Amino acid sequence: MALKDFIKSRLFFKHLLLIIGSFLVLLVVLNLILKLYTRHGQEYEVPDITHKILFEVEKQDDMSKFEIVVLDSIYKEGVAYGTILTQDPYPSSMVKKGRKIYVTIAASGGEIVQMCNCKDLGLKSAVQTLIDKGLKVGTILFRTSAFKSSPIVVEQRYKGQTIKAGSDIQLGERIDLVVEVNSTTELIRIPDIIGKTEQDAEILLWKAGLNVGSKNYEGDRDEKHTRVASYSPVSKTAIIGTSISLNLYNDTSRKYQKEVENFKEESEKVEEETSTTEVYIEE
């Protein structure tokens, strides 16, 4: 049979259909195997496990689809051991079964470090040195000195006693600083702390020569979302060493924006009332 006649025959079309059919069946089988291998379509929503205790989360039924991996542990003052501070992937992410969730948890206690030396440093440098070491500022005490043109740290204290550089101390502890200045009645411009996180606001106040007073929290306390919505006293300036009280709101709450707006209005009124008084501020 000639090739031309074979192509026109029923046998050719029969074989052609068989080849096409076999190819389609093969595609379907390969697609099914690929879906099973990659668990196509079987994705699960990652729950929000932050602020929960690790060992309790691991017992939850909805966590059996995931594997929790602890990346790091950080000491956080007032936070219970094992509390999950951060997670990756973020809550509500869609992932496949068996996905690892990387977390950072609160440590049981502060790691022991050597106390840094803040003596003879400028106030801003001393504050940053403490922060870099994982320590916090307690109270900044000011006293006058005719020989100091800018704030200089002359003593560092821990729980009322002088602490020497190199002494063992736990991370997160608070260090009081004794600072000598030319005048203890100097007016300091209050830094812009509205909208700042709790930690950032504290650092700005300390570096400016102001103390952190009482704190009032509204809504869920969260390291990233708890922000300063207002403070008191409501003023543009304050005497060096003044304690500034903070009102902190969760920025996901409607109350947060309302509190910020109310504070700005009140602050503008205070500024108008004091605008006739000229104030000199030493930067």
Side-chain angles (χ1 to χ4, degrees), residues 59-73:
K59 295 178 181 178
Q60 294 178 191
D61 293 336
D62 59 347
M63 293 304 297
S64 61
K65 307 178 187 68
F66 313 107
E67 179 184 352
I68 299 179
V69 178
V70 178
L71 279 183
D72 196 8
S73 60

Side-chain angles (χ1 to χ4, degrees), residues 3-51:
L3 178 62
K4 186 177 181 181
D5 293 333
F6 175 70
I7 292 175
K8 293 181 179 179
S9 68
R10 289 183 178 180
L11 182 64
F12 171 77
F13 285 105
K14 182 178 178 181
H15 282 82
L16 181 61
L17 290 173
L18 284 172
I19 292 172
I20 294 172
S22 299
F23 179 71
L24 291 175
V25 171
L26 181 62
L27 282 179
V28 172
V29 172
L30 287 174
N31 190 45
L32 287 173
I33 293 173
L34 185 61
K35 284 183 178 181
L36 290 173
Y37 180 74
T38 61
R39 298 187 179 95
H40 182 74
Q42 296 184 26
E43 292 189 330
Y44 302 90
E45 183 176 347
V46 176
D48 185 357
I49 57 176
T50 55
H51 310 302

Side-chain angles (χ1 to χ4, degrees), residues 46-162:
V46 176
D48 185 357
I49 57 176
T50 55
H51 310 302
K52 297 180 180 179
I53 305 299
L54 177 63
F55 74 87
E56 294 179 351
V57 169
E58 291 175 328
K59 295 178 181 178
Q60 294 178 191
D61 293 336
D62 59 347
M63 293 304 297
S64 61
K65 307 178 187 68
F66 313 107
E67 179 184 352
I68 299 179
V69 178
V70 178
L71 279 183
D72 196 8
S73 60
I74 301 173
Y75 175 72
K76 300 287 288 185
E77 184 181 7
V79 180
Y81 167 66
T83 300
I84 297 174
L85 303 175
T86 63
Q87 70 175 88
D88 181 23
Y90 294 111
S92 301
S93 301
M94 299 303 294
V95 300
K96 294 172 184 175
K97 186 176 181 180
R99 176 70 156 82
K100 292 180 179 179
I101 300 179
Y102 299 95
V103 300
T104 300
I105 64 172
S108 59
E111 176 188 344
I112 300 297
V113 295
Q114 273 65 55
M115 178 63 197
C116 50
N117 185 22
C118 297
K119 191 176 179 181
D120 298 326
L121 294 180
L123 179 58
K124 290 183 179 180
S125 297
V127 170
Q128 192 59 54
T129 299
L130 288 172
I131 298 301
D132 292 342
K133 198 68 174 181
L135 301 169
K136 294 184 177 183
V137 177
T139 302
I140 306 175
L141 308 167
F142 292 92
R143 66 189 188 196
T144 56
S145 172
F147 304 101
K148 298 294 189 299
S149 58
S150 59
I152 298 295
V153 176
V154 294
E155 187 182 354
Q156 53 194 32
R157 297 175 181 172
Y158 175 60
K159 295 184 177 180
Q161 301 296 322
T162 300

Side-chain angles (χ1 to χ4, degrees), residues 194 231 234-236 260-276:
I194 299 299
Y231 61 81
V234 181
S235 176
K236 294 295 182 181
V260 170
E261 292 172 358
N262 290 340
F263 175 79
K264 287 182 178 179
E265 290 178 3
E266 186 178 357
S267 181
E268 288 174 359
K269 290 179 181 178
V270 171
E271 188 175 14
E272 289 176 2
E273 293 172 358
T274 58
S275 61
T276 56

